[in-house]
Every structure is written in structure tokens, then in C-alpha cells.
Amino acid sequence: MREDAIEREIEGMLGLRERREKDSDLYKIANEVFDRTTKETLAYLHRRGKIEALHGVISTGKEANVFAGVDAEGNRIAIKIYRTYTTEFRRIWEYLAADPRVGYLPKDMRKLVFVWTRREFKNLRRAIKYAVRVPEPVIFRNNVLVMEFIGDELPAPRIKDVERSLEPSDFEELYDFTMGVIERLWKRGDMVHGDLSEYNILLHERPVVIDWSQATVRRNRMSVELLKRDLRNVINYFGRKGVDVDDFDDKFRELVGV
């Protein structure tokens, strides 16, 4: 597909009907993130009907940006686009190298990001299998992951975003939910999230756990440390909110059986 045709397709997805719209925050962020590989991937998904339009930015980060959008049938979707060149190279490499599910690792950063994207897609599917509420993955290609949009007109907030409006009983329920996720993943799914915190749980009807890029299986030599990280994050946060939390050492021994 010719480059000028891809550019027109991307501009159509971004809703850039007039020249002045290119001053929008959406265009500026997209222009920073969308290299040629990303544009070709978005154009491919657009032709497949998986992405009809991008409507706004949900979140930005060092590794990836997440956009709100719609598919060809008008369904709301979230589109996570990993940067093909990132300062997080060493961290990504270490996580992938330790994961027994991952075979040969390419030395090219762009291709490594493709492996990282595929891994998150598989992690989401595995979490669903073990009854953890996550954004349902739709499709991935290269560095782009299309998922269920969590929210109504606006994206659902994280616990951290609305903590001041929560009651003590809300924190108690959320603590029970989050510890239940840790236990269910570890005991039934042989899996650990690895970055579970108030920043990665959305509140929409019922809590939804997001950001599964670093999640892995128990066979991973890093899994125990990641489990400890999740337990510390959750116990420390909810303890500060007045919840009667578990003792870290007792809970860790209960899960790992030592």
C-alpha cells in the first residue's frame, strides 16, 4: 500500500477533516507515536473492520498509548499502541527472556515489541479463562492491541482517580476483590499479574483489572518476586485506607505453601 494512501487512511481514522484539526492533542500524540509500521498496522486493521476511527487518548506512557475508538460496527473499543522504539527495552527483554512461554527473542527492538504485544493478548485470554474480569481482547497485530472499551461515554476511572469519593466499605470490598484476583490467578491459573495496584484496576459496574503486559506464569523464575510485588502493593495501599488487611508474610506463605 502506498505511503500517501496510508496517510490518508490514518487521517480519516483520526477524523482530520480540516487542516486546522491537526493542532489537536490527538493528532500531536498520534504523530509522535505512529511510525510507518504502526500506520501500516492501523491501516490493515481498518480495512479488516477492526478499527473504524480513533476518538481520543485514554492514557499515555513510556511503553504505550491507549486510544478510544470504534470498530466498523460502531462498537466502542480501546486500542493500545506500543511504541516500536522505547526506553523500556531492557525491562521488556528481561521479562520476555524469563518467560518459559516465549521462545526465540529477536534482537531487533521493533520485533521484540511485537512479541510483547502478543504476550499481553495471550495474558488477557488466560486471565478470562480463570474468571478474572479484564478488557476482552479482540485482535492484535504487530504493536497494536485492540480490546474491549471499559466505560460508558467516558473511560472508566481507576481506583486512584476516585479514591477520595470512596467509603470505608468500598475499600474493604475492593481489597477482598483484589486479593481474590491474586489468589485465583496463582492457585487456579498458575499465573501472576505482577503490577497489581490502585492504578491498574478500573471501576465500572464491577472492578476490571488492566495492564497485563508484565503478567506471567508460575513457571517463570520471576513469578515469586512478582507475586510479592502484588501482595505488597495491595496490602500497603488498602492498609493505608483503613482496611484490616492480611499480614504479608502469612499471606505469602499461604499462597506458595512454605
Side-chain angles (χ1 to χ4, degrees):
M1 193 172 184
R2 291 180 56 185
E3 189 167 352
D4 56 348
I6 292 174
E7 290 291 341
R8 287 195 299 272
E9 194 161 3
I10 296 302
E11 290 193 2
M13 291 170 67
L14 291 171
L16 303 178
R17 305 300 182 190
E18 300 177 9
R19 193 75 181 175
R20 59 183 174 80
E21 290 185 38
K22 291 188 178 182
D23 293 329
S24 69
D25 290 340
L26 175 60
Y27 178 78
K28 290 176 181 177
I29 292 175
N31 199 42
E32 292 175 3
V33 175
F34 297 176
D35 59 7
R36 180 172 176 78
T37 296
T38 301
K39 290 177 180 178
E40 290 175 345
T41 303
L42 289 170
Y44 171 85
L45 293 171
H46 180 254
R47 294 192 298 274
R48 290 278 304 275
K50 301 301 182 181
I51 303 175
E52 181 65 23
L54 300 178
H55 288 166
V57 180
I58 296 176
S59 66
T60 61
K62 294 179 181 179
E63 286 182 6
N65 290 341
V66 182
F67 296 83
V70 294
D71 64 16
E73 298 179 354
N75 300 310
R76 302 289 297 277
I77 54 174
I79 305 102
K80 189 170 188 176
I81 302 177
Y82 278 99
R83 300 175 187 272
T84 52
Y85 294 95
T86 172
T87 57
E88 299 295 298
F89 174 84
R90 182 179 296 277
R91 189 180 78 88
I92 289 175
W93 176 272
E94 289 175 349
Y95 273 86
L96 291 177
D99 194 329
R101 299 172 298 172
V102 178
Y104 169 77
L105 287 180
K107 295 182 179 179
D108 178 75
M109 182 62 209
R110 182 172 57 93
K111 293 181 180 179
L112 196 71
V113 170
F114 296 171
V115 176
W116 188 249
T117 306
R118 181 179 70 230
R119 183 172 180 260
E120 180 162 18
F121 179 87
K122 291 184 175 181
N123 283 338
L124 287 165
R125 293 182 65 177
R126 187 179 181 114
I128 289 173
K129 181 179 179 180
Y130 293 102
V132 176
R133 179 73 173 97
V134 305
E136 185 171 351
V138 176
I139 193 173
F140 75 93
R141 183 175 174 86
N142 295 334
N143 61 315
V144 179
L145 172 61
V146 180
M147 301 173 285
E148 172 189 6
F149 177 86
I150 305 298
D152 296 313
E153 289 303 312
L154 295 175
R158 306 170 300 176
I159 292 177
K160 185 63 177 178
D161 299 326
V162 294
E163 60 182 5
R164 292 186 178 181
S165 65
L166 298 177
E167 300 292 334
S169 60
D170 295 325
F171 285 113
E172 291 171 2
E173 290 179 8
L174 287 168
Y175 175 72
D176 290 341
F177 163 82
T178 309
M179 291 303 295
V181 167
I182 293 174
E183 292 181 11
R184 193 154 56 250
L185 287 173
W186 188 259
K187 292 180 178 179
R188 293 178 54 196
D190 288 329
M191 186 181 185
V192 59
H193 182 279
D195 195 24
L196 201 54
S197 74
E198 66 274 20
Y199 292 94
N200 285 331
I201 300 176
L202 304 182
L203 298 181
H204 180 65
E205 298 175 355
R206 55 194 180 105
V208 181
V209 182
I210 61 170
D211 195 1
W212 290 80
S213 60
Q214 69 292 313
T216 191
V217 292
R218 285 176 62 172
R219 302 193 315 274
N220 188 328
R221 56 181 171 79
M222 297 176 64
S223 65
V224 172
E225 288 305 315
L226 292 175
L227 175 64
K228 288 180 179 179
R229 179 195 295 177
D230 281 354
L231 288 173
R232 286 196 184 98
N233 285 346
V234 172
I235 289 172
N236 290 343
Y237 174 75
F238 285 100
R240 292 195 299 271
K241 299 304 177 182
V243 177
D244 183 16
V245 296
D246 294 273
D247 177 79
F248 170 83
D249 292 326
D250 290 345
K251 196 65 181 178
F252 177 72
R253 283 193 293 269
E254 174 191 327
L255 290 173
V256 299
V258 295

